[in-house]
Amino acid sequence: MLKKMWLILITLAFSTSAFAASGKNSIQIKGSDTMVNLGQAWAEKYMEKNPGDFVAITGGGSGTGFSSLISNTCDIAMTSRNIKEKEIALANQKGINPNEIKVALDGLAVVVNSANSVGKLTIDQLAGIFTGRISNWKEVGGKDEKIVILSREVNSGTHVYFKEHVLRKLDPNSKEEFAPSALMLSSSQAIADEVAGNSAAIGYYGMGYISPKQKPVAVAKDEKSEYVTPTIENVINGTYPISRPLFLYTNGVPAGLVKKFVDFILSKEGQDIVLATDFVPINK
Amino acid sequence: MRKFREFIIEKLILICGIASILFVALIFLFLLREGLAVFKIVGPFKFLFGKSWYPISEPPQLGILPLILGSLLVTLGAAIISIPIGVGCAIYIAEVAPVKIKEVLKAGIELLAAIPSVVLGFIGMVTLVPLVKNLFHLPTGLTALSGSIMLAFMAIPTIVSIAEDALYSVPKNYKEGAFALGATHWQTIWRVMLPAASSGIVAAVMLGIGRVIGETMAVMMITGNAAVIPHSILAPVRTLTATIAAEMGEAVVGSEHYFALFAIGIVLFIISFMVNVTADIFLHKRQG
C-alpha cells in the first residue's frame, strides 16, 4: 500500500512539473517544412542565450501551422505563404487574431539530376512541365526521356506557392493544376533524394535544400529575359523570378516570451542565422 | 463477501465489454457526422466516381475514384504475393517442419510482425524502389508494385499465424484416416488437411488483406502518391489512407476538404468492415 502511495506521489510530482514546463516559459512553433531547419537554428541559439526558456519547433507544412494557430495549439505559426481569407475568417470565429511578421526570404529552386543536360528553363516551360503539357525532356532540349514530376503534398506552402506563381502565373482565373501523374512526396528531403537518384526527375524546394547531389536550374521570366540561378545574391537583388517571403504568424501583437523570441529573430544575430541556413535575410 | 466480489468483477468485465462496442459506435457516428457533410457539396456519385482529386483548388474537385482504384490495386498486388507465400509457410510450419525449425520459423514470423510499418517503408524506399526502377526500366520506382511487395511483408505474419492455427486444429483422426487409406503426406495435406481447414485459411487471408488496406505509412512513402487512375501495377498510385494522412494536417476544420477526408474515412471503414465480416463468417463456419 505504502509503495503505491509513493508511486502516485511521484507521478503527481512529475506531471505537475511537466505541466509547469509547458506553461509559462515555453513557446510552441509549428508550420512550414521549408522553415523547420531555420526555426530549429533560431531556437537553439535563442535557448543558448536564454537558459530556462524553451522553444519547440515542429514541421508539418504551412497549412498545419495555420490550423494549429487557429485551434490554439501553438503560439507561433511559421509559414511560407500568406494566410488565406478563409483561414482569417475561421480564426476570427475562434477569437484568434492572426498577426503577420515577415522574417526572411527564400528562393524556390527547381532541381534536376546532375546527369541531366537541361540547365535552364523559362517560367512557361516550367509551367508546361509541371502541368503535364511537356512530358518529354527532348521538348526542352534534353535527351529523349519521359519527365518524372516531383511535387510536395498539398499541405505544403511550397506546393501552393509554386502552383500560384509558376503554374498559374498569379492569374486568379487560371485553372492550371499539377499534372495528376505528378508524384506527391511528403518532404523536401524526399524530393532531394529522388532527384539525386533519378535522371529523369524534376522537383522544386526551398534553396536551403540544394546540395551538390542535385543540379539547380537557371530560370528566366520569359525567353527574352536572362536566365538566373537561385543564389542568395540573386534573390536579394530581385533578379531570381521564383522567390518568396517567409512569415511568422502570432495571435495578436506578440507579447511576453513570444515578443522576446520574435525580437531575437529580427535582430542582427537572428538574421545572421537566416543567412547561415541558406535563406535570405530581410534587413540588410 | 465472496459473492459480492464476484458480482463486482462480473459487472466490471461487462462494462469493459460494452465500452469497446460503444467506442466503435461513437467513432462511426463521428465519422458519419463529419463525412456526410461533403455530400452537400458534391453528390455521392460524383464523389465516388469523380476522376480528379484537387482538394485545395477553387472550387475543389473531390473525386476519389483514382484513390479507391489505387488502394485496390496495391491491395490486390499484395494479396497475390502474400497468399501463396503465407499459406505455403503455414503448411510447412504446421505439417512438414521438424520441431526445432518450427520454433525458429514461428519466432521469425513474429519478429516480422513486430517491425513498425514506417521502418519497412523506409527500407523499401532505399532498397526496393531503386531495384524496381532498374529491373523494369521505369521512369521511377515509386510504384504500386513496390507498395504491394512491402505490404505483402506486413500481411504474411497475420496469414501465417492464423492459417497455421487453422491447420493445427484439424482433428488428428482426419490425418490418421488418410494415412490409413494409403495416401502420401502431400496427398493428405492437399486433399484432406487444406479442405478441412479452408474456412480458417480464408479467414486468415481476409484478415491479412484487412491489414493491408488500412496500412498507411509504408504506402505513403513508396507508392509515389500520384492521384491518377492506374493503368498498370508499374505506375505510381495514391491510396485512400495516404491521402488522409498526407492532407489532414492542412485541411481547415470545417472546410470542404476536411469533410471530404472524413468521407474517405467512411469509405475506408466500410471496406475494412466488409473484409472483417467476411473473415468472421468464415471463422464461424469452421466452428459451426
Side-chain angles (χ1 to χ4, degrees), chain B residues 48 78 93 98 111 154 220 230 233 239 241 252 271:
Chain B
L48 287 174
I93 290 179
L111 211 63
M154 282 176 228
M220 192 158 89
I233 197 155
T239 64
T241 47
V252 179
I271 295 176

Side-chain angles (χ1 to χ4, degrees), chain B residues 133-207:
Chain B
K133 175 179 186 288
N134 296 332
L135 212 58
F136 296 98
H137 302 290
L138 298 173
T140 173
L142 298 162
T143 58
L145 179 67
S146 316
S148 294
I149 295 173
M150 236 47 226
L151 286 178
F153 277 111
M154 282 176 228
I156 284 172
T158 313
I159 295 179
V160 172
S161 51
I162 298 175
E164 194 247 350
D165 193 44
L167 283 168
Y168 188 75
S169 56
V170 172
K172 272 251 153 56
N173 44 13
Y174 280 34
K175 198 167 154 186
E176 284 158 4
F179 283 147
L181 290 171
T184 63
H185 199 169
W186 173 243
Q187 282 171 331
T188 313
I189 291 171
W190 187 243
R191 300 260 174 87
V192 178
M193 301 298 286
L194 277 182
S198 63
S199 57
I201 291 173
V202 173
V205 167
M206 293 314 271
L207 287 176

